[in-house]
């Protein structure tokens, strides 16, 4: 895909949604971090449902740590993998208290050292909470990038690197939100909704649907 096409694609996505953001509900970097940890292999809707009960009761590292693993499980048991997630969140809260003065760190290395935080989670937090131009490649972004031709790659790290290289700088801050939303609602996995896609004529996917 050439530079001009990418420019046009992101101009269209920006015009449609000038201020995209995550669909996770949060009111602090810490809440965002916990929500993203909980969202692995779960829906944002499911996570929001659980955290809408959790955060009014406990929304600081100290308060959640105080709940303990069993106490936290009561709030998040509707979310997939809740046992391991509860253990990771409690360990993460302990590390934040002991090593980061209860603040969410603003570097990839420090974030990835937290239990339950991988590269994708770190990228979401860096981008959404701290306005760093990172690219959190999930299954939606991986699919959209490869399918459209915006940035092809055989694994998520390769797609991430190519997106950072190829997405025009003016769009880098918001690009991952646009691509996630596009993959979630239009360029869906089984049968993409090409007929209602704003960028259909710019997309290089060969097997377009009606």
């Amino acid at each position: 895909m050439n530079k001009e096409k990418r420019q046009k694609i992101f101009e269209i996505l920006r015009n449609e949604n000038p201020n995209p953001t995550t669909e996770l509900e949060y009111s602090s970097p810490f809440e965002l971090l916990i929500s993203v940890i909980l969202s692995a292999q779960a829906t944002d809707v499911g996570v929001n449902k659980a955290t809408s009960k959790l955060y009014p009761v406990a929304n600081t590292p100290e308060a959640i740590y105080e709940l303990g693993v069993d106490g936290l499980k009561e709030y998040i048991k509707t979310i997939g993998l809740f046992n391991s997630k509860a253990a990771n969140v409690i360990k993460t809260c302990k590390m934040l208290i002991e090593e980061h003065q209860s603040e969410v760190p603003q570097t990839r290395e420090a974030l990835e050292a937290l239990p339950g935080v991988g590269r994708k989670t770190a990228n979401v937090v860096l981008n959404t909470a701290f306005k760093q131009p990172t690219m959190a490649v999930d299954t939606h972004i991986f699919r959209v990038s490869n399918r459209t031709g915006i940035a092809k790659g055989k694994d998520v790290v390769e797609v991430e690197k190519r997106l950072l290289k190829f997405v025009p700088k003016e769009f880098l801050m918001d690009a991952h939100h646009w691509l996630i939303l596009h993959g979630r609602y239009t360029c869906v996995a089984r049968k993409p909704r090409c007929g209602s896609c704003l960028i259909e004529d710019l997309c290089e996917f060969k097997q377009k649907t009606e």
Side-chain angles (χ1 to χ4, degrees):
M1 180 175 284
N2 64 38
K3 202 172 159 184
E4 289 71 29
K5 261 193 191 178
R6 287 195 189 93
Q7 179 73 25
K8 281 181 190 163
I9 283 173
F10 285 103
E11 280 175 2
I12 289 167
L13 295 175
R14 179 175 63 189
N15 290 342
E16 177 67 12
N17 184 3
N19 300 299
T21 189
T22 177
E23 294 186 311
L24 290 168
E25 291 162 5
Y26 71 99
S27 60
S28 68
F30 174 71
E31 286 186 5
L32 177 65
L33 171 65
I34 299 307
S35 289
V36 180
I37 292 172
L38 296 177
S39 73
Q41 294 174 42
T43 66
D44 288 359
V45 172
V47 172
N48 290 339
K49 206 170 169 186
T51 58
S52 69
K53 295 185 175 69
L54 170 66
Y55 293 154
V57 175
N59 70 342
T60 64
E62 291 81 1
I64 289 183
Y65 186 66
E66 197 103 333
L67 289 174
V69 173
D70 291 336
L72 179 57
K73 278 184 195 175
E74 284 305 306
Y75 289 97
I76 66 167
K77 61 189 177 187
T78 53
I79 300 172
L81 310 175
F82 72 93
N83 284 313
S84 59
K85 286 176 182 176
N88 281 334
V89 167
I90 295 300
K91 285 179 198 159
T92 281
C93 288
K94 188 170 192 278
M95 276 181 76
L96 290 176
I97 295 163
E98 292 176 354
E99 298 176 26
H100 300 286
Q101 294 77 49
S102 298
E103 295 291 326
V104 176
Q106 297 188 32
T107 67
R108 177 190 304 288
E109 296 69 31
L111 282 166
E112 287 189 20
L114 299 169
V117 177
R119 187 179 184 89
K120 187 185 81 176
T121 297
N123 279 335
V124 172
V125 173
L126 291 171
N127 177 274
T128 307
F130 301 123
K131 303 301 175 215
Q132 294 183 28
T134 58
M135 201 63 67
V137 179
D138 67 350
T139 53
H140 295 302
I141 294 185
F142 184 76
R143 179 176 68 253
V144 171
S145 299
N146 275 293
R147 192 185 262 168
T148 59
I150 290 170
K152 293 190 171 188
K154 60 184 183 300
D155 56 46
V156 291
V157 175
E158 190 176 358
V159 168
E160 179 187 329
K161 285 178 179 168
R162 290 195 171 172
L163 283 168
L164 289 170
K165 182 180 174 184
F166 294 139
V167 172
K169 289 220 170 1
E170 65 180 295
F171 304 113
L172 263 182
M173 190 62 75
D174 292 319
H176 105 260
H177 290 307
W178 286 317
L179 293 172
I180 280 178
L181 293 169
H182 192 65
R184 197 172 276 172
Y185 297 112
T186 304
C187 196
V188 294
R190 289 189 184 169
K191 193 181 179 191
R193 302 181 178 119
C194 300
S196 62
C197 175
L198 295 169
I199 59 168
E200 184 186 7
D201 57 334
L202 297 162
C203 166
E204 297 181 354
F205 182 51
K206 299 276 191 289
Q207 297 86 40
K208 290 201 171 76
T209 62
E210 286 304 313

